[in-house]
Amino acid sequence: MPGPFRLAKRCLVGLLLLAAGVGLVAVFLPRSVSGRESDGSTIAKGAGTTIIHGGTGSSGGFVPVLTTVAFHAEKAGGGVTGSFDCLAYAPESGTGPNSAQFTVNAMYVIGQISGATVKGDTATLTATASITGLGAGSSVPFTFVVQKGGPGATAVLTVNTLTFPFNELLVAGSFRVQG
């Protein structure tokens, strides 16, 4: 009787060691998030929350502005393609109990990226967009200059229907630029 039990115990230990080995190999092999290796076509991509440096500025009083931004640009067929979304929120009021409630849609930019240049850790994306709120219009040209990095990275959105740029500071998320 001790023989079959000892054999089963050895098989179980062997299977456990094999499972642990496979698990370690899977953990330490480099892989992309999607499970596919990059094909080298990505120029820039990212998503996160930014704060507009200076908010709405001094005209009419300072009001902070937060944005949710997402973008990607890649090489395709000898050109550049991609998309860009940026939703800017302002608080319900400049002061008082609702001044921390970022629920007002100040601006929404949704565009198709058609050009990109990279210099070091910075990408300049060019596109046209449909815009609601501030700078509203359709087929509005804009540029988005983005610096590679996590929180603290910077970006500048310049929309042709406005006379001022939006200087953004990433507070959560990540911007990637392929050099």
Side-chain angles (χ1 to χ4, degrees):
M1 195 87 163
F5 179 70
R6 200 175 292 167
L7 181 61
K9 187 176 176 182
R10 284 183 184 163
C11 285
L12 182 60
V13 169
L15 284 174
L16 287 173
L17 287 173
L18 179 64
V22 168
L24 284 172
V25 167
V27 167
F28 290 108
L29 280 178
R31 292 176 37 143
S32 64
V33 173
S34 67
R36 296 178 301 155
E37 293 306 314
S38 173
D39 60 6
S41 66
T42 300
I43 298 168
K45 66 181 178 177
T49 301
T50 72
I51 187 164
I52 304 293
H53 182 68
T56 58
S58 60
S59 63
F62 169 79
V63 177
V65 177
L66 295 177
T67 74
T68 301
V69 63
F71 64 93
H72 78 278
E74 55 195 49
K75 299 173 201 166
V80 175
T81 187
S83 63
F84 178 88
D85 287 271
C86 184
L87 177 59
Y89 290 107
E92 292 179 25
S93 64
T95 61
N98 292 333
S99 64
Q101 302 297 318
F102 288 82
T103 57
V104 176
N105 176 352
M107 181 181 192
Y108 181 51
V109 179
I110 181 168
Q112 295 302 307
I113 296 170
S114 57
T117 59
V118 175
K119 185 174 183 179
D121 288 343
T122 303
T124 301
L125 309 177
T126 55
T128 56
S130 293
I131 302 174
T132 61
L134 259 155
S138 60
S139 298
V140 176
F142 74 91
T143 60
F144 185 65
V145 180
V146 60
Q147 174 195 28
K148 177 181 178 178
T154 60
V156 178
L157 174 63
T158 304
V159 177
N160 285 21
T161 52
L162 297 171
T163 60
F164 51 89
F166 297 98
N167 296 301
E168 304 184 39
L169 182 65
L170 187 64
V171 294
S174 164
F175 295 154
R176 296 181 185 197
V177 174
Q178 308 298 355

